[in-house]
Structures are given as structure tokens and as C-alpha cells.
Amino acid sequence: MSPNPQPAVEVSGLVKRYGSKTAVDGLDLVQQPGTVLALLGPNGAGKTTTVEICEGFRSADDGTVRVLGLSPADESLRPRIGVMPQGGGGYPGIRAEEMLNLVAACAANPLDPKWLIEVLGLSGAVRTPYKRLSGGQQQRLSLACALIGRPELVFLDEPTAGMDPQARRLVWDLVGALKDDGVSVLLTTHLMDEAEALADDVVIIDQGRVVAQGSPSELTANRADDQQLRFRARPGLDTSLLSAALPEGLKVREATRGAYVVEGLIDPQVVSTVTSWCAQQGVLAEELTVAKRSLEDVFLELTGRELRS
Amino acid sequence: MTTFAPGTFKPAPGRGSLPKMLFVHARTEALLTLRNGEQILLTVIIPLALLVALSLMTVIPMPEPRVGSATARIFALAIISSAFTGQAIALGFDRRYGVLKRLAASALPRWLLVAGRVSGALAVVAIQILLLGITALILGWRFPLSGLPWVILLIILGTLSFGALGVLLGGALRAEIVLALANIVWFVLLMVGGVALSVPVGFVHLLPSAALAQALETSVVYGTAPGVGPVAVLVAWGVVAGALATRTTKLT
């Protein structure tokens, strides 16, 4: 064994252009084997393009991509990876079990299709043609197709899009089980909670570039003074007295009606100042919490708050 | 929370056996065609009805022996229906529903993706020819058995050539456009492409439809080898369409 195991995915300087538009603009990332990596970014950030280049569906204009140490075009890579394309895929008239049996026939040691159908809650739809399955059911079948060959590395492109909360939770559990069994998982999402719950590493991309990367806790706690104390109380309290009582550099505001936020370095003294101010006002501070920035805060800070077309 | 026994997803990658992949893929393709009502109408019901009509309705001009000539022409039509129109439409919608991408992402080699489709199409054509042949025999067709090897070869050649044309059409355009064009071309070839009737216009002989019908007529009616001309026309169309299709066919 080499001291540095070969990365599951290694991308450096990746560039992809569609006409005059640069979809991926010098992207680098490394995924260690057995980890879950989330590519997080707004729509059109270049997530799917990056993943499809790794899967061998698109060619790169520049840069290098290695998947399990191989070029994505290498046919010998295909049995070793599991792919869940965005939006799934199946013959319009095929039944779920037939589709899964077909993909299972391509693998040397497939999982049991019947079992997988049941686990993914598709037992009630085994005779339904693919085109009549709901979006969420098509997604689940696609996930089953990605997993059935017992791959070393799985690419999941927006795996929970169109799924109800139960199915989403199931996918999360599955990703956890894959990781526990040593499977590397590279997924794309624009859902913060998904990235936060599943990923060992999050790579935030925007306009084809990496804007931040690290573990969810690194990304959310990179600055000690970037904390928040939140509490709820009667709306419309005059916070100027509290501002005056707090140490220099701390800001207080009523973020939404009745929801107060103190931002800065939160220490026990600050908590005490807030509660005594509330006592003076004759109100009870409810739901008082000290929190780090959420991944959503980081994401919005990096990629902007305005809507993308 | 759903829990899974440790080791459930422990990696054990590997490619399945090639014969099994080919068999399952071809069986799936054939089964889906045979289960599709519109495909059955196009590939079985209409050719059967036309076979009966051409054999019995003497108002339609048809060289003697009447049933033999009709059988040869309807064999050609059945191949065009299935390998060209049926294949084009199926491919158009398969692309729409992302199945090619799905299969290309599996361990199925690309060449097998083509081989499985071809084998599936050949299986469907075999079933069509069997049904039409039995019907023709009931209608009084006397098949000179010396033509059997030629008929089999022509059926395979016709399926490959029209299959390549079907993939050329179905692999490049949007599903709805494919649906419309594939049906229009089918109808035009049937009426004036030398299929239902021989058309005494020079360039029609250069169409793959007329070539297939003419070649089949020689072997089905007279039990002899088809002429070099029609076979060359069929091969040329197939090779050109196949070469173009490898450049133009898109997965989605």
C-alpha cells in the first residue's frame, strides 16, 4: 500500500466551453477514496458538466481528469463506477424490474434486483412502464441502476431532485451505508442541508470555478468572530440600549419580526448581557441559541443573493 | 431511518459475461417492440392485411404467381416497417427518455449497445416473417425451397440496411419529428418506392425499398439468387447510412 492512496477523482485545471460560454473555468478538485464529496452550487454553476466529464460523457477542452486513476474514456473504468445521470433514464415502455435486470446483467456480481426494488420502495410500481413513473420513482430506479453493479465509486447528479421527504431521507441513509462500506460517492446538489448532512468534503462552485472547499464544519466556522446569538421575544423592542451594553464590534438587529440576532464573537459575557437586557425589558428570551454560520450563509455569501436566470 | 447490514454495498465491481449481456439486451429490445401496440400495428397487422389484400383483390395489378409476388413485396414492407420506421421511432423516444445514456453509463460496451439492438430487431423481423410466411402459405404461396438461403440472407441484409437508415433518422432528430418523418417515408416508399407495386421509373430502382422488393421477388418466387444490382444498391445504402449514423447519433 502506498502511503497516499490514489484519489477516487482527481480533476485539475478543467475547462469546458459551449460556444462562447465557459461552463467550467479551470476547476480543480481531489476526492479521497471512501469519502463523500458534494459539489454544491447554484443552477448553471457547472456541476453537471464537471460530473459528466468525469463519467466520460463529455470531453474536456483543457485540463486533466483521472477517475480511479484512469482516463474517463477508458472502457475498463465503466464496471467500476456507478452513474446516476440527472433526470434518470430508461426505455419509455420498460418496467422497473426489467430495467434493473438489464443493468444487473452488465455486472459480474450484482446486488439482488428484487431486494433493491423493495429497498427503494418501488415494489408498488413494478409493472408500471417507465414513462408513467413519477419523477421521484424514476430517480429511485436510476439510483438502483447506479448501485446494482457494486461499484467502487458512485456519481449521483442531483440524486434527490423531485423526491418526497421520505425518499430523500432514504437516499441519505443509502449514501451513509455506501460510505460505511468504503464506496466513494461524488454527488451534486444545490441543497445545503443535503451537502451538510452527507458530505465529508464540500466543493462550492460558481460560474465554473471553485469558490470554497472544505468539510462542512471548516466552511461554516472559518472565523471565530463569525457567530450568531439568536433569540425570539416581543417584536419591536428598542435594541439601542442593548447595543450600547454589548462589547465593541457586536451588532444587534431584529432580523425578522420578533427574531433578534446578535452577530460577532459570542462569549458567556455576551449571553449574560443579552439575558439581563431582556429582564430589564420585562421579556423572556425564547429559543436562545448560539450558532455558527450555516452552510447556507456561506453559500449565499460566496455566490450572491440575487436570483440567477 | 433505514439501516443496511454492514458490507451490503462492499465494492465488487466487474463486467458481466458478454453473451449474457447481449442476450438480455436483445431480449429486452425485442420484448419492448412486441409489447408496443403501435409497433405491432405497423410491423404485423398492416403487412398481414396488405398481404391478404394483394393476394385476393385482383383489381390490384400484380405479376403472376400473384400470391408469391405479394409475399415477396410484403416481406420487404415488413422489414422496412420494423427495421426503419419502428427502429427510428423507438430510438427517437429512447433518446428522449435517456435510456441510451443510462446504458452507456453501465458496463455495457458501446459495440454491444449496437449489437443488442440489431439482434433484437432481427428477432422481431424473424417473428414477422414467420407469421407472414404462414399466412402466405395458407393463401396458396408455393415457396421453391431452393430460395430459402437467399431469402434469409436478404432478410438479414435488408434489416441491417434499413436499420442503419432508421438509426440515422432516429438518432439525430427530436422524437416528434422522427415520428412524423419515419411514418411519411414509410408511406411514400410503400406507394411509390417500388414496394407494393413495381414502379417503372429509372431512379426508383436505386431506392433501397425497390431493391429489397425486387431481390426478394427473385428468391421468393423463383427460388434463385437475387441480381447483383439490387443487392449492391441495398449494401450501398446501408454502408453510407451506417457511416453517417456513427457521426450523427446522439445519446440524448
Side-chain angles (χ1 to χ4, degrees):
Chain A
M1 284 281 291
S2 64
N4 292 315
Q6 185 180 60
V9 179
E10 198 171 11
V11 173
S12 63
L14 181 65
V15 175
K16 179 70 186 178
R17 298 182 199 93
Y18 298 115
S20 62
K21 188 181 177 292
T22 303
V24 179
D25 190 6
L27 188 132
D28 302 297
L29 68 85
V30 176
Q31 177 177 15
Q32 294 307 324
T35 63
V36 178
L37 184 143
L39 272 184
L40 180 66
N43 293 333
K47 305 186 293 290
T48 295
T49 299
T50 302
V51 169
E52 290 198 341
I53 290 170
C54 293
E55 293 165 350
F57 282 125
R58 291 174 197 278
S59 56
D61 289 326
D62 203 359
T64 56
V65 177
R66 287 271 171 235
V67 177
L68 301 173
L70 299 170
S71 151
D74 195 323
E75 281 260 352
S76 67
L77 178 63
R78 224 137 290 287
R80 298 173 62 192
I81 61 173
V83 172
M84 181 180 178
Q86 197 173 93
Y91 290 95
I94 203 167
R95 295 168 187 154
E97 197 170 2
E98 294 168 339
M99 187 68 210
L100 201 51
N101 284 336
L102 173 57
V103 179
C106 302
N109 313 293
L111 297 167
D112 178 9
K114 279 194 162 46
W115 172 80
L116 208 47
I117 290 266
E118 200 181 302
V119 164
L120 286 165
L122 291 167
S123 305
V126 279
R127 295 191 62 79
T128 312
Y130 181 80
K131 64 180 171 190
R132 288 200 226 296
L133 293 174
S134 71
Q137 286 171 326
Q138 290 182 347
Q139 285 281 84
R140 277 180 272 158
L141 177 58
S142 182
L143 177 60
C145 290
L147 302 183
I148 193 142
R150 297 184 198 254
E152 295 164 54
L153 164 65
V154 181
F155 292 100
L156 308 175
D157 197 356
E158 307 233 340
T160 57
M163 285 189 181
D164 60 28
Q166 289 83 354
R168 223 173 130 220
R169 188 59 62 175
L170 172 70
V171 173
W172 290 17
D173 294 343
L174 267 168
V175 171
L178 287 169
K179 190 192 149 179
D180 291 346
D181 285 339
V183 181
S184 315
V185 180
L186 194 158
L187 60 92
T188 73
T189 183
H190 55 253
L191 303 171
M192 313 305 137
D193 57 342
E194 192 156 288
E196 206 155 12
L198 297 179
D200 299 301
D201 290 291
V202 177
V203 175
I204 302 181
I205 66 175
D206 191 26
Q207 292 169 352
R209 292 168 172 277
V210 173
V211 290
Q213 58 185 318
S215 68
S217 57
E218 283 166 0
L219 284 171
T220 51
N222 51 356
R223 295 205 303 272
D225 62 352
D226 207 3
Q227 292 173 308
Q228 293 181 334
L229 182 152
R230 296 164 180 268
F231 63 95
R232 301 189 69 85
R234 200 176 66 223
L237 292 174
D238 178 7
T239 55
S240 56
L241 268 176
L242 177 57
S243 271
L246 287 167
E248 190 85 2
L250 283 153
K251 279 177 284 191
V252 59
R253 63 193 166 92
E254 190 175 351
T256 57
R257 214 175 122 76
Y260 296 85
V261 182
V262 181
E263 287 168 318
L265 177 63
I266 310 295
D267 60 17
Q269 189 56 50
V270 172
V271 181
S272 162
T273 308
V274 170
T275 47
S276 37
W277 173 75
C278 287
Q280 283 163 18
Q281 302 290 318
V283 296
L284 179 65
E286 292 170 28
E287 299 172 28
L288 186 137
T289 53
V290 178
K292 296 183 296 188
R293 296 191 303 170
S294 70
L295 197 52
E296 183 152 354
D297 295 326
V298 178
F299 180 79
L300 290 172
E301 202 170 281
L302 291 167
T303 63
R305 287 172 192 269
E306 76 277 17
L307 277 177
R308 307 292 174 87
S309 61
Chain B
M1 176 158 174
T2 316
T3 52
F4 299 92
T8 303
F9 298 104
K10 193 170 172 294
R15 191 154 80 180
S17 87
L18 291 174
K20 188 184 176 193
M21 276 192 251
L22 181 62
F23 173 73
V24 176
H25 183 214
R27 186 186 61 189
T28 305
E29 292 276 346
L31 199 71
L32 289 171
T33 306
L34 297 173
R35 205 194 276 156
N36 184 319
E38 288 151 39
Q39 292 269 15
I40 290 294
L41 180 69
L42 177 76
T43 57
V44 178
I45 311 286
I46 293 176
L48 268 178
L50 284 172
L51 175 65
V52 174
L54 291 180
S55 301
L56 302 181
M57 291 169 66
T58 46
V59 288
I60 306 165
M62 182 70 50
E64 291 297 333
R66 190 172 182 87
V67 181
S69 293
T71 303
R73 290 167 183 286
I74 295 303
F75 279 3
L77 176 70
I79 291 166
I80 296 170
S81 301
S82 176
F84 173 72
T85 303
Q87 182 65 246
I89 295 170
L91 183 58
F93 283 95
D94 286 354
R95 284 168 51 229
R96 154 80 50 88
Y97 282 92
V99 72
L100 296 190
K101 200 169 186 180
R102 168 72 267 159
L103 292 178
S106 74
L108 202 72
R110 300 288 163 102
W111 66 265
L112 207 144
L113 199 57
V114 177
R117 253 189 130 91
V118 169
S119 308
L122 284 171
V124 172
V125 169
I127 293 169
Q128 290 173 275
I129 297 294
L130 201 66
L131 289 173
L132 290 165
I134 291 169
T135 309
L137 289 170
I138 293 169
L139 289 166
W141 171 42
R142 287 166 184 277
F143 178 36
L145 279 176
S146 58
L148 187 63
W150 298 114
V151 172
I152 292 173
L153 279 176
L154 286 171
I155 288 168
I156 294 172
L157 176 61
T159 305
L160 293 178
S161 284
F162 276 97
L165 286 161
V167 170
L168 180 62
L169 175 61
L173 303 174
R174 266 184 41 217
E176 288 79 12
I177 298 171
V178 172
L179 182 68
L181 280 179
N183 281 312
I184 292 168
V185 170
W186 179 87
F187 190 70
V188 169
L189 290 183
L190 170 66
M191 300 312 284
V192 295
V195 176
L197 310 163
S198 45
V199 179
V201 181
F203 76 89
V204 172
H205 295 294
L206 297 177
L207 292 178
S209 48
L212 181 60
Q214 200 188 330
L216 275 169
E217 193 161 40
T218 314
S219 301
V220 163
V221 177
Y222 306 104
T224 54
V228 176
V231 172
V233 169
L234 263 183
V235 170
W237 277 93
V239 168
V240 171
L244 283 175
T246 54
R247 290 155 197 268
T248 56
T249 300
K250 291 178 282 195
L251 291 180
T252 53

